[in-house]
Amino acid sequence: MTQFYKQSGFTLARSNLSTKILLTLLLFTTLAGCVVAALQYSSRSGGYDSESARQWIQGNEEDLEAKEFISEKTPRELLSFIHDHIFSLGILLFVILHLVELTPWTEGPKIALSILGYSCLFSMLFSPLAIQSGSTTATYTQIIGGSGLLLTLTLGSFACLDELWWASGRRKSRQQEEPSPPAPLFPEKRTEQKSGGRCPLGHDNPDSDK
């Protein structure tokens, strides 16, 4: 990822074929993982209703008519669940959102998507602890967190796929210029260039005469 940012003028649309194929495989794998996670979550790990979410944590040992016996999760099991997912999902979010940074999206949507993704991740992972302690509202935060996390990964993946393969063609057909590449390392230089060689505080830009 850092190498992409260091390459002058790099964007997803301008990447070479081998890079496009590599990133496309990653994004399709992420989308497939989202589908599998949704299916698994709906059938095993809590479901998409509050009662199923509660049963996944607190068990259903008191329900003698239950079709499937679910034992209550111990604190050690819940901590293991958090440990197994917080690093892997955190890194996956970081990679996908890093790629979104290479799209022409404006700063606002990028920031919003990042906040949504990580807040939903923490909500999904830590809500089971609150459910175990007896909280009734935490079942909804777990469902919202899991759904929001999948939504973030899906939106980010589709945004990157669109920029890799289709967005440039749409811009050409509309006779639009290609967007400027992101400059995350020295964003102030772009501001100085737009202000005619002067920095936002009004001082002369020492590089403007070079």
Side-chain angles (χ1 to χ4, degrees):
M1 300 305 303
T2 305
Q3 181 182 3
F4 292 158
Y5 282 117
K6 290 172 65 178
Q7 294 179 6
S8 177
F10 180 85
T11 63
L12 293 179
R14 294 188 181 101
S15 56
N16 58 29
L17 182 60
S18 61
T19 301
K20 285 186 176 182
I21 292 176
L22 176 62
L23 295 179
T24 299
L25 292 174
L26 169 65
L27 295 169
F28 272 118
T29 301
T30 301
L31 290 172
C34 289
V35 173
V36 172
L39 293 175
Q40 182 189 35
Y41 188 73
S42 62
S43 62
R44 290 184 54 195
S45 304
Y48 286 99
D49 62 88
S50 59
E51 179 58 23
S52 296
R54 185 199 65 80
Q55 283 189 1
W56 183 69
I57 304 299
Q58 298 180 346
N60 61 354
E61 297 173 352
E62 74 285 353
D63 187 1
L64 300 179
E65 297 181 357
K67 296 181 180 180
E68 180 182 2
F69 175 76
I70 303 175
S71 60
E72 183 179 3
K73 299 292 187 298
T74 65
R76 184 184 294 272
E77 288 177 322
L78 292 181
L79 289 176
S80 177
F81 166 77
I82 296 172
H83 177 268
D84 291 343
H85 291 82
I86 193 168
F87 291 110
S88 59
L89 290 176
I91 292 175
L92 178 60
L93 267 177
F94 179 77
V95 172
I96 298 300
L97 294 174
H98 234 59
L99 292 174
V100 173
E101 288 293 319
L102 294 172
T103 69
W105 282 21
T106 58
E107 288 288 287
K110 291 177 180 178
I111 293 173
L113 193 65
S114 297
I115 294 175
L116 173 65
Y118 279 97
S119 61
C120 287
L121 173 63
F122 280 96
S123 175
M124 182 193 73
L125 293 181
F126 289 96
S127 290
L129 295 175
I131 296 173
Q132 189 183 53
S133 64
S135 173
T136 55
T137 58
T139 56
Y140 296 100
T141 60
Q142 183 188 15
I143 295 170
I144 294 172
S147 302
L149 176 62
L150 294 180
L151 177 63
T152 301
L153 291 171
T154 301
L155 285 177
S157 297
F158 276 120
C160 295
L161 285 171
D162 179 63
E163 186 63 21
L164 280 169
W165 299 104
W166 305 297
S168 182
R170 289 199 307 271
R171 289 190 287 265
K172 288 181 180 179
S173 64
R174 298 170 184 173
Q175 296 182 345
Q176 297 176 341
E177 295 183 359
E178 285 293 313
S180 301
L185 298 179
F186 303 102
E188 67 278 3
K189 288 191 175 182
R190 182 178 297 176
T191 304
E192 293 170 1
Q193 291 173 356
K194 290 182 178 180
S195 61
R198 298 180 67 86
C199 68
L201 297 178
H203 301 297
D204 291 334
N205 179 9
D207 296 330
S208 61
D209 296 332
K210 294 182 179 180

